[in-house]
PDB file of all heavy atoms in Angstrom:
ATOM      1  N   LEU B  32      90.818  80.602 157.647  1.00 95.00           N
ATOM      2  CA  LEU B  32      90.835  81.188 158.980  1.00 95.00           C
ATOM      3  C   LEU B  32      92.073  82.088 159.075  1.00 95.00           C
ATOM      4  O   LEU B  32      93.136  81.733 158.613  1.00 95.00           O
ATOM      5  CB  LEU B  32      90.859  80.091 160.028  1.00 95.00           C
ATOM      6  CG  LEU B  32      90.753  80.529 161.517  1.00 95.00           C
ATOM      7  CD1 LEU B  32      90.066  79.462 162.312  1.00 95.00           C
ATOM      8  CD2 LEU B  32      92.112  80.838 162.099  1.00 95.00           C
ATOM      9  N   TYR B  33      91.861  83.243 159.672  1.00 95.00           N
ATOM     10  CA  TYR B  33      92.947  84.268 159.720  1.00 95.00           C
ATOM     11  C   TYR B  33      93.123  84.763 161.177  1.00 95.00           C
ATOM     12  O   TYR B  33      92.136  84.872 161.917  1.00 95.00           O
ATOM     13  CB  TYR B  33      92.545  85.476 158.866  1.00 95.00           C
ATOM     14  CG  TYR B  33      92.227  85.130 157.434  1.00 95.00           C
ATOM     15  CD1 TYR B  33      90.978  84.696 157.044  1.00 95.00           C
ATOM     16  CD2 TYR B  33      93.201  85.382 156.425  1.00 95.00           C
ATOM     17  CE1 TYR B  33      90.724  84.391 155.725  1.00 95.00           C
ATOM     18  CE2 TYR B  33      92.936  85.083 155.119  1.00 95.00           C
ATOM     19  CZ  TYR B  33      91.680  84.594 154.755  1.00 95.00           C
ATOM     20  OH  TYR B  33      91.401  84.338 153.425  1.00 95.00           O
ATOM     21  N   TRP B  34      94.350  85.078 161.529  1.00 97.00           N
ATOM     22  CA  TRP B  34      94.657  85.711 162.793  1.00 97.00           C
ATOM     23  C   TRP B  34      95.266  87.114 162.493  1.00 97.00           C
ATOM     24  O   TRP B  34      96.132  87.251 161.602  1.00 97.00           O
ATOM     25  CB  TRP B  34      95.661  84.929 163.617  1.00 97.00           C
ATOM     26  CG  TRP B  34      95.096  83.709 164.282  1.00 97.00           C
ATOM     27  CD1 TRP B  34      95.143  82.396 163.861  1.00 97.00           C
ATOM     28  CD2 TRP B  34      94.434  83.685 165.531  1.00 97.00           C
ATOM     29  NE1 TRP B  34      94.540  81.586 164.782  1.00 97.00           N
ATOM     30  CE2 TRP B  34      94.087  82.332 165.825  1.00 97.00           C
ATOM     31  CE3 TRP B  34      94.063  84.646 166.482  1.00 97.00           C
ATOM     32  CZ2 TRP B  34      93.407  81.952 166.983  1.00 97.00           C
ATOM     33  CZ3 TRP B  34      93.390  84.271 167.629  1.00 97.00           C
ATOM     34  CH2 TRP B  34      93.071  82.950 167.873  1.00 97.00           C
ATOM     35  N   TYR B  35      94.807  88.106 163.262  1.00 97.00           N
ATOM     36  CA  TYR B  35      95.309  89.457 163.170  1.00 97.00           C
ATOM     37  C   TYR B  35      95.607  89.959 164.591  1.00 97.00           C
ATOM     38  O   TYR B  35      95.112  89.414 165.580  1.00 97.00           O
ATOM     39  CB  TYR B  35      94.258  90.384 162.575  1.00 97.00           C
ATOM     40  CG  TYR B  35      93.906  90.121 161.120  1.00 97.00           C
ATOM     41  CD1 TYR B  35      92.911  89.170 160.837  1.00 97.00           C
ATOM     42  CD2 TYR B  35      94.505  90.766 160.072  1.00 97.00           C
ATOM     43  CE1 TYR B  35      92.522  88.896 159.526  1.00 97.00           C
ATOM     44  CE2 TYR B  35      94.140  90.535 158.766  1.00 97.00           C
ATOM     45  CZ  TYR B  35      93.169  89.578 158.496  1.00 97.00           C
ATOM     46  OH  TYR B  35      92.809  89.324 157.191  1.00 97.00           O
ATOM     47  N   PHE B  45      98.114  91.601 159.934  1.00 94.00           N
ATOM     48  CA  PHE B  45      97.864  90.206 159.583  1.00 94.00           C
ATOM     49  C   PHE B  45      99.007  89.334 160.121  1.00 94.00           C
ATOM     50  O   PHE B  45     100.155  89.683 159.958  1.00 94.00           O
ATOM     51  CB  PHE B  45      97.775  90.099 158.086  1.00 94.00           C
ATOM     52  CG  PHE B  45      97.836  88.717 157.565  1.00 94.00           C
ATOM     53  CD1 PHE B  45      96.841  87.762 157.875  1.00 94.00           C
ATOM     54  CD2 PHE B  45      98.872  88.300 156.748  1.00 94.00           C
ATOM     55  CE1 PHE B  45      96.900  86.474 157.398  1.00 94.00           C
ATOM     56  CE2 PHE B  45      98.943  87.019 156.249  1.00 94.00           C
ATOM     57  CZ  PHE B  45      97.985  86.132 156.579  1.00 94.00           C
ATOM     58  N   LEU B  46      98.637  88.233 160.802  1.00 95.00           N
ATOM     59  CA  LEU B  46      99.653  87.373 161.343  1.00 95.00           C
ATOM     60  C   LEU B  46      99.806  86.064 160.553  1.00 95.00           C
ATOM     61  O   LEU B  46     100.934  85.724 160.141  1.00 95.00           O
ATOM     62  CB  LEU B  46      99.235  86.976 162.793  1.00 95.00           C
ATOM     63  CG  LEU B  46      99.124  88.165 163.796  1.00 95.00           C
ATOM     64  CD1 LEU B  46      98.748  87.631 165.172  1.00 95.00           C
ATOM     65  CD2 LEU B  46     100.431  88.937 163.829  1.00 95.00           C
ATOM     66  N   ILE B  47      98.710  85.304 160.330  1.00 94.00           N
ATOM     67  CA  ILE B  47      98.808  84.065 159.711  1.00 94.00           C
ATOM     68  C   ILE B  47      97.432  83.601 159.210  1.00 94.00           C
ATOM     69  O   ILE B  47      96.421  84.098 159.717  1.00 94.00           O
ATOM     70  CB  ILE B  47      99.395  82.981 160.682  1.00 94.00           C
ATOM     71  CG1 ILE B  47      99.782  81.668 159.987  1.00 94.00           C
ATOM     72  CG2 ILE B  47      98.379  82.728 161.835  1.00 94.00           C
ATOM     73  CD1 ILE B  47     100.543  80.731 160.875  1.00 94.00           C
ATOM     74  N   TYR B  48      97.405  82.774 158.179  1.00 93.00           N
ATOM     75  CA  TYR B  48      96.124  82.234 157.733  1.00 93.00           C
ATOM     76  C   TYR B  48      96.237  80.730 157.523  1.00 93.00           C
ATOM     77  O   TYR B  48      97.289  80.204 157.316  1.00 93.00           O
ATOM     78  CB  TYR B  48      95.688  82.969 156.478  1.00 93.00           C
ATOM     79  CG  TYR B  48      95.848  82.196 155.199  1.00 93.00           C
ATOM     80  CD1 TYR B  48      94.775  81.527 154.632  1.00 93.00           C
ATOM     81  CD2 TYR B  48      97.054  82.176 154.567  1.00 93.00           C
ATOM     82  CE1 TYR B  48      94.887  80.804 153.456  1.00 93.00           C
ATOM     83  CE2 TYR B  48      97.222  81.457 153.392  1.00 93.00           C
ATOM     84  CZ  TYR B  48      96.136  80.791 152.855  1.00 93.00           C
ATOM     85  OH  TYR B  48      96.297  80.082 151.693  1.00 93.00           O
ATOM     86  N   PHE B  49      95.061  80.093 157.615  1.00 93.00           N
ATOM     87  CA  PHE B  49      94.964  78.673 157.396  1.00 93.00           C
ATOM     88  C   PHE B  49      93.966  78.409 156.292  1.00 93.00           C
ATOM     89  O   PHE B  49      92.907  78.993 156.180  1.00 93.00           O
ATOM     90  CB  PHE B  49      94.451  77.934 158.654  1.00 93.00           C
ATOM     91  CG  PHE B  49      95.452  77.865 159.771  1.00 93.00           C
ATOM     92  CD1 PHE B  49      95.535  78.907 160.709  1.00 93.00           C
ATOM     93  CD2 PHE B  49      96.281  76.768 159.887  1.00 93.00           C
ATOM     94  CE1 PHE B  49      96.454  78.871 161.702  1.00 93.00           C
ATOM     95  CE2 PHE B  49      97.206  76.687 160.916  1.00 93.00           C
ATOM     96  CZ  PHE B  49      97.318  77.778 161.826  1.00 93.00           C
ATOM     97  N   ALA B  54      98.888  75.972 157.102  1.00 88.00           N
ATOM     98  CA  ALA B  54      99.288  77.397 157.081  1.00 88.00           C
ATOM     99  C   ALA B  54     100.448  77.534 156.090  1.00 88.00           C
ATOM    100  O   ALA B  54     101.578  77.288 156.435  1.00 88.00           O
ATOM    101  CB  ALA B  54      99.660  77.838 158.460  1.00 88.00           C
ATOM    102  N   PRO B  55     100.133  77.957 154.857  1.00 82.00           N
ATOM    103  CA  PRO B  55     101.197  77.976 153.823  1.00 82.00           C
ATOM    104  C   PRO B  55     102.325  79.032 154.054  1.00 82.00           C
ATOM    105  O   PRO B  55     103.408  78.862 153.565  1.00 82.00           O
ATOM    106  CB  PRO B  55     100.429  78.391 152.579  1.00 82.00           C
ATOM    107  CG  PRO B  55      98.987  78.127 152.835  1.00 82.00           C
ATOM    108  CD  PRO B  55      98.831  78.330 154.338  1.00 82.00           C
ATOM    109  N   ASP B  56     102.003  80.072 154.843  1.00 82.00           N
ATOM    110  CA  ASP B  56     102.985  81.145 155.012  1.00 82.00           C
ATOM    111  C   ASP B  56     102.953  81.684 156.457  1.00 82.00           C
ATOM    112  O   ASP B  56     101.920  82.164 156.834  1.00 82.00           O
ATOM    113  CB  ASP B  56     102.675  82.267 154.014  1.00 82.00           C
ATOM    114  CG  ASP B  56     103.771  83.337 153.984  1.00 82.00           C
ATOM    115  OD1 ASP B  56     104.514  83.495 154.975  1.00 82.00           O
ATOM    116  OD2 ASP B  56     103.896  84.022 152.959  1.00 82.00           O
ATOM    117  N   LYS B  57     104.030  81.473 157.176  1.00 86.00           N
ATOM    118  CA  LYS B  57     104.093  81.913 158.534  1.00 86.00           C
ATOM    119  C   LYS B  57     104.935  83.200 158.699  1.00 86.00           C
ATOM    120  O   LYS B  57     105.261  83.570 159.849  1.00 86.00           O
ATOM    121  CB  LYS B  57     104.632  80.804 159.404  1.00 86.00           C
ATOM    122  CG  LYS B  57     103.786  79.538 159.311  1.00 86.00           C
ATOM    123  CD  LYS B  57     104.353  78.395 160.175  1.00 86.00           C
ATOM    124  CE  LYS B  57     103.439  77.170 159.986  1.00 86.00           C
ATOM    125  NZ  LYS B  57     103.942  75.993 160.697  1.00 86.00           N
ATOM    126  N   SER B  58     105.245  83.851 157.612  1.00 85.00           N
ATOM    127  CA  SER B  58     106.180  84.965 157.702  1.00 85.00           C
ATOM    128  C   SER B  58     105.604  86.190 158.397  1.00 85.00           C
ATOM    129  O   SER B  58     106.334  87.091 158.830  1.00 85.00           O
ATOM    130  CB  SER B  58     106.640  85.394 156.273  1.00 85.00           C
ATOM    131  OG  SER B  58     105.507  85.819 155.525  1.00 85.00           O
ATOM    132  N   GLY B  59     104.277  86.244 158.583  1.00 89.00           N
ATOM    133  CA  GLY B  59     103.647  87.355 159.247  1.00 89.00           C
ATOM    134  C   GLY B  59     103.713  87.297 160.731  1.00 89.00           C
ATOM    135  O   GLY B  59     103.425  88.271 161.444  1.00 89.00           O
ATOM    136  N   LEU B  60     104.072  86.117 161.290  1.00 93.00           N
ATOM    137  CA  LEU B  60     104.172  85.990 162.765  1.00 93.00           C
ATOM    138  C   LEU B  60     105.319  86.864 163.234  1.00 93.00           C
ATOM    139  O   LEU B  60     106.409  86.873 162.673  1.00 93.00           O
ATOM    140  CB  LEU B  60     104.390  84.519 163.136  1.00 93.00           C
ATOM    141  CG  LEU B  60     103.228  83.601 162.836  1.00 93.00           C
ATOM    142  CD1 LEU B  60     103.617  82.154 163.139  1.00 93.00           C
ATOM    143  CD2 LEU B  60     101.994  83.979 163.638  1.00 93.00           C
ATOM    144  N   SER B  66     103.213  80.803 167.548  1.00 96.00           N
ATOM    145  CA  SER B  66     102.860  79.640 166.686  1.00 96.00           C
ATOM    146  C   SER B  66     101.360  79.503 166.639  1.00 96.00           C
ATOM    147  O   SER B  66     100.641  79.996 167.500  1.00 96.00           O
ATOM    148  CB  SER B  66     103.511  78.367 167.229  1.00 96.00           C
ATOM    149  OG  SER B  66     103.015  78.063 168.510  1.00 96.00           O
ATOM    150  N   ALA B  67     100.900  78.819 165.630  1.00 96.00           N
ATOM    151  CA  ALA B  67      99.442  78.604 165.512  1.00 96.00           C
ATOM    152  C   ALA B  67      99.215  77.259 164.887  1.00 96.00           C
ATOM    153  O   ALA B  67     100.029  76.741 164.095  1.00 96.00           O
ATOM    154  CB  ALA B  67      98.818  79.716 164.620  1.00 96.00           C
ATOM    155  N   GLU B  68      98.042  76.658 165.201  1.00 96.00           N
ATOM    156  CA  GLU B  68      97.643  75.427 164.589  1.00 96.00           C
ATOM    157  C   GLU B  68      96.156  75.473 164.391  1.00 96.00           C
ATOM    158  O   GLU B  68      95.439  76.175 165.075  1.00 96.00           O
ATOM    159  CB  GLU B  68      98.113  74.220 165.358  1.00 96.00           C
ATOM    160  CG  GLU B  68      97.514  74.060 166.733  1.00 96.00           C
ATOM    161  CD  GLU B  68      97.921  72.752 167.394  1.00 96.00           C
ATOM    162  OE1 GLU B  68      98.874  72.098 166.933  1.00 96.00           O
ATOM    163  OE2 GLU B  68      97.287  72.385 168.373  1.00 96.00           O
ATOM    164  N   LEU B  77      96.217  80.056 168.793  1.00 98.00           N
ATOM    165  CA  LEU B  77      97.415  80.869 168.630  1.00 98.00           C
ATOM    166  C   LEU B  77      98.148  80.824 169.970  1.00 98.00           C
ATOM    167  O   LEU B  77      97.558  81.163 170.990  1.00 98.00           O
ATOM    168  CB  LEU B  77      97.062  82.300 168.287  1.00 98.00           C
ATOM    169  CG  LEU B  77      98.219  83.293 168.110  1.00 98.00           C
ATOM    170  CD1 LEU B  77      99.045  83.000 166.894  1.00 98.00           C
ATOM    171  CD2 LEU B  77      97.672  84.730 168.034  1.00 98.00           C
TER     172      LEU B  77
END
Side-chain angles (χ1 to χ4, degrees):
Chain B
L32 184 148
Y33 304 82
W34 284 98
Y35 296 85
F45 165 65
L46 300 180
I47 191 170
Y48 103 99
F49 289 87
D56 189 335
K57 301 179 181 178
S58 62
L60 294 174
S66 63
E68 66 174 13
L77 178 69

